[in-house]
Amino acid sequence: MTPIVRAGHVWAVARIALGWVFLWAFLDKLLGLGFATPGERSWLNGGSPTTGFLKGAADGPLGGLYGALAGHWWVDVLFMAGLLGVGAALILGVGMRIAAGAGTVMLVMMWGAALPIATNPFLDDHLVYAIVLIGLAAGDAGDTWGLGRRWAEVTAGSPVLR
């Protein structure tokens, strides 16, 4: 096994793991599995998947923006669609460029809502995940243990869909 093959496998595992982070957040908020979201606050029970986090940003420098977004149905729909779409794309290895773009926007917005960061003056896991997402898309990580190559054939006329 060459180092390039091993690196491809490591990036495939990273891709699938990060996809699971997004997909798990979707499932927990949808169903209220009791991890980050109690059952009574699940989206299916009428809870808002964004309100708690965004209202918690009130003391940060972008608190006004995030407070204004909290609890709107369209913000909830976009957030949940993003979690599901990015998670599924990463796990399947398809649409990596769109997933990286959407996931990076979501993660940077979550980073902004978490400001000021208590453990580091600038960097946290949201930005690290965003960097990894961009690297996964740039490195065609969906080709190893994913449907990336087949997806590339289907979307050959549109590289942005790769």
Side-chain angles (χ1 to χ4, degrees):
M1 185 178 292
T2 67
I4 292 172
V5 173
R6 285 191 301 259
H9 293 135
V10 170
W11 287 116
V13 170
R15 183 195 87 234
I16 294 165
L18 190 51
W20 181 244
V21 168
F22 277 87
L23 193 57
W24 179 256
F26 169 80
L27 291 170
D28 188 49
K29 291 175 185 332
L30 177 71
L31 303 171
L33 299 174
F35 290 87
T37 307
E40 63 274 4
R41 290 196 356 230
S42 75
W43 202 28
L44 289 179
N45 283 334
S48 168
T50 62
T51 297
F53 185 73
L54 293 179
K55 287 205 183 241
D59 294 334
L62 302 173
L65 167 67
Y66 290 112
L69 292 174
H72 291 287
W73 69 269
W74 59 272
V75 175
D76 291 342
V77 168
L78 287 174
F79 179 68
M80 292 296 281
L83 290 175
L84 176 61
V86 171
L90 289 173
I91 289 172
L92 295 171
V94 300
M96 295 290 295
R97 292 177 183 168
I98 290 174
T104 297
V105 168
M106 291 176 68
L107 289 162
V108 169
M109 289 187 74
M110 285 186 258
W111 170 79
L115 292 174
I117 300 165
T119 59
N120 188 305
F122 176 74
L123 194 62
D124 78 343
D125 57 330
H126 295 100
L127 293 182
V128 173
Y129 284 166
I131 293 165
V132 171
L133 264 177
I134 293 165
L136 291 171
D140 294 328
D143 291 359
T144 303
W145 297 340
L147 301 173
R149 283 193 185 99
R150 181 150 325 240
W151 182 257
E153 292 170 7
V154 172
T155 61
S158 183
V160 74
L161 294 177
R162 174 102 161 81

